[in-house]
Amino acid sequence: MLHFYFRVFVSVVALWAGGAQAQNWQYDERGSGSGIAWFASDGRGVTIALDPESGSWLFSTNVQEPTDGAPINITFERRGKLVALSHAWGGYYVESLVDVPGQMVLFTVDDEFLELLMSSSNMFVELGQESYKYPLIGSRAAVSRLIAETQVLRAAIEDDGGHATAQAISDCDQQAGHPWDNLSEGGGRGWSEITPGVAIDSCRYAVEVSEGQERVRMLYQLGRALDKKGESEALAVLREAGDTYDYPMALNQLGLFYREGQYTAPNLPLAEGFFRRAAEKRNVPGQFNLGALLLSGSPTPELKSKGHSMLSLAAAAEYPDAMALYGYELAGGTVADGDPLQGVNYLQRASGAGVHVASLLLAEMFHVGIVVDASPEEHQKYANLAEEQREATFADIYHK
């Protein structure tokens, strides 16, 4: 943007240094669908232009002794009445060149400002102790033409901005989306596949440019990337996404942090609360983690029943860890009215999805003949699978 400020400044200086005077406001074409509306008299003047980088309107004027960051007060006179606008933008200041006094101050204005500029008779600019009056004769014609001539350029800027935002969101989805996040737009990445530096950069930018629910998803994915790098900032980011905005995957991750004591002290009641909030939103990892937590220790019959209910939901959704744990509970006969053979089926599917412990359990079951008939061949098959899976369990990939 500063590069554009300089180009506009040079254009204006060329006008004023050349002795440009105007009883009325003027419009000058600058090429590429852009231009400036301007007024100059006695070496002092103002301009309005469109910044092609941001799509914002840029106002500029020259002042004698500016104070950087001081509020710029602008008053319009309309039908004998004054309309005051107070801006504390802290504009950009550029040293003036020959024959132009003081410095140039530049800042952005909105469409309402342009309407006042076009419909008023005079404009007063105050900065510190300085005050300048600019007549607005011809301002409607000049500014109206500026708006009309830049419509195509503004549309292109807005379109480019939309594409840039969409690309940023897509990049974050691809770099840090969770494979079990049903609110994510991309396929996601397993824990071991995340490149934290790239993912953090992508998601930070996506958080800045996105809005609404998309921004919340970007926050969650930024937190996930920060966690992969081991940055404690992950807790605060995920708290915003989960605790503040109820994003299901962020709630589940917060539960894991408090269960494991990561970036914070362990707190099982808090962990259970976060898992429960995630599960209530039909988040499959949250259902699994809540079920597993309820079954830990020495649960009461009521807690055991609730834990099995949660595991059943997650296993039915084919979440591999849930199939492994629920299959184990079914095969062990601890689920009320449960079918042990269904438990074997769940264990086999979990083994096929890469869950190390499921393969170990099946190897033992086929070795001893628990629930299933003993089979040396099946025992060896699952023992071999367990050996292959030992270095990369499913939990390593999907729990986070």
Side-chain angles (χ1 to χ4, degrees):
M1 186 179 290
L2 284 175
H3 176 68
F4 179 70
Y5 286 168
F6 182 75
R7 288 196 295 110
V8 170
F9 171 65
V10 170
S11 298
V12 176
V13 167
L15 288 169
W16 298 347
Q21 304 288 316
Q23 294 297 317
N24 300 342
W25 275 65
Q26 305 292 319
Y27 171 79
D28 275 9
E29 173 64 51
R30 293 289 155 183
S32 302
S34 64
I36 59 171
W38 64 278
F39 174 84
S41 179
D42 298 326
R44 191 168 304 287
V46 291
T47 64
I48 297 288
L50 181 69
D51 174 19
E53 295 181 16
S54 67
S56 301
W57 293 112
L58 173 66
F59 175 93
S60 61
T61 185
N62 61 321
V63 294
Q64 287 284 1
E65 297 178 359
T67 303
D68 287 2
I72 300 163
N73 299 296
I74 297 178
T75 304
F76 291 97
E77 182 182 356
R78 300 180 66 192
R79 302 180 183 91
K81 296 182 179 180
L82 297 180
V83 179
L85 298 176
S86 179
H87 299 279
W89 292 307
Y92 291 92
Y93 295 90
V94 184
E95 292 293 338
S96 292
L97 303 182
V98 293
D99 299 327
V100 179
Q103 287 182 306
M104 183 74 71
V105 58
L106 310 101
F107 53 90
T108 57
V109 295
D110 56 19
D111 290 340
E112 181 183 6
F113 183 98
L114 294 192
E115 181 55 41
L116 285 170
L117 190 70
M118 291 187 287
S119 60
S120 302
S121 55
N122 290 293
M123 176 174 61
F124 302 91
V125 178
E126 296 180 12
L127 178 63
Q129 300 300 313
E130 299 182 62
S131 178
Y132 308 106
K133 176 183 177 180
Y134 297 101
L136 298 175
I137 301 170
S139 61
R140 178 164 291 281
V143 176
S144 293
R145 185 174 174 193
L146 172 67
I147 293 171
E149 295 288 344
T150 55
Q151 279 182 344
V152 173
L153 180 58
R154 291 190 79 186
I157 292 168
E158 291 172 4
D159 187 55
D160 285 346
H163 282 300
T165 298
Q167 185 60 55
I169 291 170
S170 176
D171 286 347
C172 182
D173 279 331
Q174 293 298 322
Q175 291 293 332
H178 196 292
W180 281 88
D181 185 0
N182 61 356
L183 298 180
S184 180
E185 298 295 324
R189 292 200 178 198
W191 182 247
S192 63
E193 299 171 333
I194 297 174
T195 303
V198 175
I200 289 170
D201 288 344
S202 297
C203 292
R204 280 200 195 281
Y205 180 63
V207 168
E208 291 178 8
V209 300
S210 56
E211 297 178 346
Q213 191 64 19
E214 281 189 325
R215 179 180 177 274
V216 178
R217 187 173 82 249
M218 298 302 104
L219 274 171
Y220 158 66
Q221 291 170 178
L222 172 60
R224 187 172 185 239
L226 288 165
D227 182 30
K228 178 62 188 289
K229 194 175 180 182
E231 298 283 351
S232 60
E233 183 191 353
L235 179 61
V237 171
L238 288 166
R239 266 201 169 279
E240 183 179 356
D243 207 17
T244 302
Y245 294 112
D246 272 344
Y247 195 77
M249 286 302 304
L251 289 168
N252 176 68
Q253 186 60 52
L254 287 170
L256 291 173
F257 284 169
Y258 282 99
R259 186 189 73 188
E260 299 167 5
Q262 188 173 359
Y263 312 121
T264 184
N267 189 319
L268 290 182
L270 265 181
E272 180 180 338
F274 283 124
F275 288 145
R276 192 176 300 280
R277 286 168 64 183
E280 287 171 353
K281 295 179 177 298
R282 299 182 181 181
N283 177 260
V284 173
Q287 291 170 342
F288 164 71
N289 284 311
L290 177 59
L293 188 61
L294 292 175
L295 291 175
S296 62
S298 302
T300 64
E302 182 182 3
L303 287 179
K304 183 178 288 189
S305 176
K306 290 179 179 178
H308 286 153
S309 178
M310 287 293 103
L311 290 182
S312 174
L313 291 173
E318 300 194 358
Y319 190 70
D321 279 2
M323 291 192 294
L325 183 53
Y326 190 52
Y328 170 75
E329 293 287 309
L330 284 168
T334 64
V335 180
D337 300 322
D339 181 359
L341 288 178
Q342 184 186 24
V344 174
N345 180 263
Y346 271 137
L347 286 169
Q348 289 173 326
R349 288 155 65 186
S351 171
V355 183
H356 174 238
V357 69
S359 300
L360 281 177
L361 288 168
L362 287 166
E364 183 63 18
M365 290 169 71
F366 279 107
H367 178 63
V368 179
I370 302 173
V371 183
V372 295
D373 294 333
S375 169
E377 293 80 9
E378 291 296 297
H379 161 71
Q380 192 61 50
K381 166 187 168 182
Y382 286 110
N384 291 341
L385 272 176
E387 184 65 25
E388 294 171 7
Q389 295 162 350
R390 185 173 58 181
E391 298 302 322
T393 68
F394 195 88
D396 292 332
I397 300 173
Y398 282 101
H399 270 192
K400 295 184 178 183

